[in-house]
Amino acid sequence: MPEMTMAQALNDALDLALADERVVVIGEDVGTTGGVFRVTDGLAARHGSDRVIDTPVAESGIVGAAFGMAVAGLRPVAEIQFLGFAYPAFDQIVSHVGRIRNRSNHRFSAPMVIRIPYGGGIGAAEHHSESNEAIFVHTPGVKVVVPATPRDAKGLLLAAIDDPDPVVFLEPIRVYRALKQDVPEGRYTVPIGVAAVVREGTDVTIVSYGAVLRDARRAAELLGAEGVSAEVIDLRTLSPLDADTVLDSARKTGRVVVAVEGHRTLSVASEVAALVQERALYSLLAPVERVTGFDTVVPLKRTEHHYIPSPDRIAAAARQTLEA
């Protein structure tokens, strides 16, 4: 079983997917250059420039063209270079991509994937570090998937390409090359809409996803050294949310911390906290704690580490639930 980074695992998934002649990859620099993070490196040489298509710098045009391809029967995979560049394409997503099944009374669907690198942690410039995944979760008709590991990234991307409806696939920039993992060879899928318990525990539940999952696991290790048994859940899909896995853990431990990189107000963390307090209130031993980014523009390199949730902040929130 080869050891891969997330970038390599995603490249492997796309290479396998392109065996299906309906699959095309489209975006800025995805062909000759191999993408801004080299996730599509070598694919144009292997599959041709008519299957791995370079586009102008026009995000609305990329998603609009991919939408037309999907309605016509192809399986396009569109790449937007950074989440902060996705806003020009948002009109296409909310007005057309997410609505076509409802608008056409199920006569048409848009089986397409929109890959978007997101999040901070690499000291990038303005518009390159944003974590506004909640705006896509708020959009009816699209699924929102966020892998945290190379193995899940490959399986979830292949599942997203197979999906009959549009999937926004958010890739944590900080994880692209930060870790390696054994990744199965060949084709496999990880089901969309199913969270994973990545560490079992009995005292407190930490819910996270994407790049912050590593910080959640480190926080669990810090707590473990203090004799606290922390369970860690990787949501993997933000829409549809796997409520059962979250609620089962909340009822077991009685304490929940939600750690996300996005803004605090009306965030995925807010939704998970509301869900737990609506449906598992009588199992709770303490209020749900949120550890999030702040309701500001993501700061630049010098102060970025204050914005992104750290293992220390997550562990501190867990201790607060234990003291309640």
Side-chain angles (χ1 to χ4, degrees):
M1 189 180 297
E3 191 176 60
M4 295 184 183
T5 64
M6 181 179 285
Q8 291 169 329
L10 291 166
N11 181 280
D12 190 33
L14 291 169
D15 193 27
L16 290 165
L18 282 160
D20 181 340
E21 292 186 352
R22 297 174 301 168
V23 175
V24 295
V25 175
I26 178 172
E28 298 161 11
D29 296 327
V30 297
T32 303
T33 304
V36 66
F37 289 101
R38 305 297 183 267
V39 169
T40 57
D41 191 30
L43 296 180
R46 289 196 288 279
H47 299 280
S49 59
D50 58 338
R51 305 279 310 286
V52 183
I53 305 166
D54 279 325
T55 70
V57 180
E59 288 77 10
S60 180
I62 293 167
V63 174
F67 172 64
M69 292 177 182
V71 173
L74 298 180
R75 295 267 173 168
V77 181
E79 177 180 306
I80 303 296
Q81 291 194 336
F82 294 90
L83 196 152
F85 299 169
Y87 308 130
F90 191 63
D91 178 46
Q92 294 284 354
I93 296 170
V94 71
S95 299
H96 303 295
V97 172
R99 291 174 183 257
I100 187 63
R101 182 178 286 281
N102 183 71
R103 178 183 295 155
S104 67
N105 196 23
H106 298 268
R107 288 183 61 213
F108 299 105
S109 65
M112 59 186 286
V113 178
I114 306 171
R115 294 182 40 246
I116 310 176
Y118 87 101
I122 62 170
E126 187 184 11
H127 292 299
H128 293 67
S129 303
E130 300 184 18
S131 187
N132 288 334
E133 56 271 23
I135 65 173
F136 297 105
V137 177
H138 294 165
T139 304
V142 300
K143 299 180 175 74
V144 183
V145 173
V146 188
T149 67
R151 182 193 297 255
D152 278 357
K154 178 179 174 180
L156 285 166
L157 181 55
L158 286 168
I161 294 170
D162 288 346
D163 200 277
D165 288 299
V167 177
V168 173
F169 195 88
L170 300 173
E171 300 166 4
I173 292 171
R174 192 155 47 111
V175 184
Y176 268 141
R177 290 175 175 81
L179 62 93
K180 287 189 172 183
Q181 187 181 43
D182 289 340
V183 175
E185 294 182 271
R187 183 181 178 82
Y188 68 93
T189 58
V190 173
I192 291 173
V194 179
V197 178
V198 298
R199 177 188 171 114
E200 294 192 354
T202 57
D203 295 330
V204 60
T205 299
I206 304 175
V207 181
S208 191
Y209 56 87
V212 181
L213 184 74
R214 289 198 308 154
D215 303 306
R217 298 184 78 152
R218 287 172 184 155
E221 292 170 3
L222 293 173
L223 294 164
E226 301 168 12
V228 176
S229 174
E231 183 151 293
V232 180
I233 293 176
D234 177 4
L235 289 178
R236 301 199 292 198
T237 301
L238 306 185
S239 179
L241 190 68
D242 181 358
D244 289 343
T245 297
V246 174
L247 292 169
D248 287 347
S249 183
R251 291 176 180 128
K252 180 173 73 172
T253 67
R255 303 175 179 89
V256 177
V257 174
V258 193
V260 309
E261 191 172 326
H263 302 305
R264 184 176 182 83
T265 301
L266 298 176
S267 64
V268 174
S270 303
E271 176 60 25
V272 173
L275 173 74
V276 170
Q277 291 176 150
E278 284 174 352
R279 295 170 57 181
L281 178 64
Y282 294 113
S283 298
L284 290 180
L285 302 171
V288 177
E289 290 290 330
R290 290 178 291 164
V291 183
T292 68
F294 299 95
D295 293 339
T296 66
V297 172
V298 181
L300 301 181
K301 182 176 181 179
R302 188 172 297 175
T303 54
E304 187 180 39
H305 62 285
H306 293 299
Y307 182 93
I308 296 172
S310 66
D312 286 340
R313 282 176 59 193
I314 299 168
R319 293 186 196 102
Q320 192 162 332
T321 68
L322 292 161
E323 293 168 358

